Amino acid sequence: MKPLARYAALSNYVELGHSLGLDPARLVREAGLDPAGLSLQDRWVPAAAITELLERSAAESGHEDFGLRLAELRRFSSLGPLSLIIREEPDLRSGLGMMARHEHAYNEALRIRIVERNGIATVRLALDTGHPGGIRQSIEFAVGVLHGIVRAFLGPTWRPVETAFTHTAPQDRATHHRLFGPTVKFGRDYNGIALYTTDLDRPNTGSDPQLRSYTQRLLTELGAHRDATTADRVRELVELLLPTGRCSIEQVARSLGVDRRTVHRRLAAEGETFTSILDATRAELARHVVANRHHTLTEVADMLGFSTPGNFTRWFRNHYGCSPTQWRRTQPS
């Protein structure tokens, strides 16, 4: 299946887009994502869709440094629960090792490798979204985020020995130099950051040893996430696709990088069907959106993926024993 990434990767995307004259909501929809979902940072979406969104945003804004600008707005907490664990590691080596071992906890498309040689350590990043297309912005974004994490350990005055990119240099390198310093190289054989190996073992003065037992329990929970079932992934995608009007078994299968038969077969092995997941997800969402009087019932029908309001009304009555209008009247204002 195609790799997923957390919506947290797009933290502050809307603000940055507006500042550069973009229409963020339109671009998000065109990438196959739900603008309303941006507030749900722990929701998982296809990594290829995020990559496409960053490339389109850079092209439309005319800013080749779009990915780097977004990385500058990221906080340590954007890694989700893993950020709590990494922050309490005793040194940078342990923190980066934790990130490498638990990439699946924040981005299934990302790979991190650390190579040490002659007193220099290179932290190398690779990105495989399972989809053809440009990844320049996503690579620069990932390297920018990595740089921020290293500085969180080593302090704001730290500078890398080298920051490397495999792609060609942009026309304007001002943002690259401001963020990384003067030692930014393009056309290299890796994407990532080089630093002294002694920096890897510098103690993390912000670490609290008494919190490590707590973070280790979190680590166990993160391990459980790696075993997410096909039903879990399908459920996440159904929630994402319903408001777009493109929630079909074919679309879900494309997002997962398989065909519809494979989805049916894997769900059947878990005692589920696509129809049952779609129906249960609709029922859960309907309880919330029907009660919201800011939406007309016609809008609600669209949000839940029904072709007509009449089809929605019949479905709702079958589930709740009354019409949406009657049910809405019973809800507190």
Side-chain angles (χ1 to χ4, degrees), residues 23-41:
D23 180 351
R26 175 182 61 79
L27 286 165
V28 168
R29 284 192 295 270
E30 289 178 354
L33 300 172
D34 175 17
L38 294 178
S39 62
L40 305 174
Q41 295 199 359

Side-chain angles (χ1 to χ4, degrees), residues 281-309:
T281 304
R282 270 178 168 160
E284 179 63 24
L285 291 175
R287 292 177 58 252
H288 299 288
V289 294
V290 172
N292 186 343
R293 289 175 171 78
H294 293 296
H295 299 297
T296 68
L297 292 178
T298 298
E299 290 172 336
V300 171
D302 288 338
M303 291 169 63
L304 295 176
F306 288 95
S307 57
T308 67

Side-chain angles (χ1 to χ4, degrees), residues 33-330:
L33 300 172
D34 175 17
L38 294 178
S39 62
L40 305 174
Q41 295 199 359
D42 288 323
R43 175 173 288 181
W44 291 81
V45 295
I50 293 178
T51 295
E52 179 185 347
L53 175 61
L54 297 186
E55 294 298 322
R56 288 190 181 195
S57 300
E60 284 205 17
S61 67
H63 287 275
E64 288 183 282
D65 59 356
F66 189 91
L68 275 188
R69 288 175 179 243
L70 187 60
E72 283 190 282
L73 300 175
R74 286 289 294 271
R75 296 182 178 180
F76 206 109
S77 59
S78 298
L79 291 177
L82 189 64
S83 63
L84 296 174
I85 299 168
I86 294 173
R87 188 173 59 192
E88 300 305 327
E89 288 300 291
D91 50 47
L92 179 61
R93 183 187 298 277
S94 298
L96 293 177
M98 193 71 69
M99 286 182 63
R101 289 192 297 275
H102 297 279
E103 297 149 341
H104 63 278
Y106 53 94
N107 190 333
E108 295 178 342
L110 186 67
R111 296 292 177 268
I112 301 174
R113 186 163 62 97
I114 302 174
V115 178
E116 297 182 53
R117 185 176 300 132
N118 299 326
I120 299 293
T122 55
V123 186
R124 302 176 176 229
L125 304 182
L127 195 67
D128 181 8
T129 66
H131 189 274
I135 60 171
R136 179 188 185 112
Q137 298 303 318
S138 292
I139 284 292
E140 294 207 346
F141 171 72
V143 172
V145 171
L146 171 64
H147 177 268
I149 290 171
V150 175
R151 289 187 75 183
F153 273 86
L154 302 181
T157 61
W158 171 83
R159 291 286 190 180
V161 173
E162 175 185 87
T163 303
F165 296 102
T166 58
H167 49 252
T168 57
Q171 290 185 343
D172 184 353
R173 308 184 194 183
T175 301
H176 294 76
H177 288 159
R178 173 169 52 79
L179 187 61
F180 303 119
T183 57
V184 184
K185 306 294 183 182
F186 297 89
R188 299 299 300 269
D189 63 352
Y190 77 100
N191 296 298
I193 289 174
L195 66 161
Y196 295 112
T197 55
T198 52
D199 287 335
L200 291 177
D201 299 311
R202 194 189 304 178
N204 176 15
T205 57
S207 174
D208 184 348
Q210 294 183 356
L211 287 177
R212 293 204 72 203
S213 60
Y214 170 70
T215 59
Q216 293 306 306
R217 290 198 299 272
L218 280 179
L219 193 59
T220 301
E221 295 176 11
L222 287 176
H225 173 83
R226 191 165 205 162
D227 299 324
T229 65
T230 298
D232 292 331
R233 289 188 166 200
V234 169
R235 194 171 292 108
E236 290 273 2
L237 287 167
V238 167
E239 290 181 9
L240 169 70
L241 292 170
L242 266 177
T244 71
R246 297 184 296 110
C247 186
S248 65
I249 181 64
E250 290 80 11
Q251 183 61 47
V252 167
R254 280 195 294 271
S255 296
L256 294 174
V258 297
D259 58 36
R260 58 178 295 168
R261 289 184 179 180
T262 300
V263 174
H264 282 309
R265 186 175 66 254
R266 292 180 179 177
L267 288 177
E270 296 171 8
E272 296 272 13
T273 67
F274 178 75
T275 301
S276 67
I277 292 175
L278 175 61
D279 207 42
T281 304
R282 270 178 168 160
E284 179 63 24
L285 291 175
R287 292 177 58 252
H288 299 288
V289 294
V290 172
N292 186 343
R293 289 175 171 78
H294 293 296
H295 299 297
T296 68
L297 292 178
T298 298
E299 290 172 336
V300 171
D302 288 338
M303 291 169 63
L304 295 176
F306 288 95
S307 57
T308 67
N311 287 341
F312 167 58
T313 297
R314 284 189 291 273
W315 173 87
F316 192 92
R317 188 183 297 276
N318 183 56
H319 273 76
Y320 294 103
C322 63
S323 71
T325 301
Q326 293 168 327
W327 194 85
R328 176 175 276 186
R329 287 176 186 152
T330 66

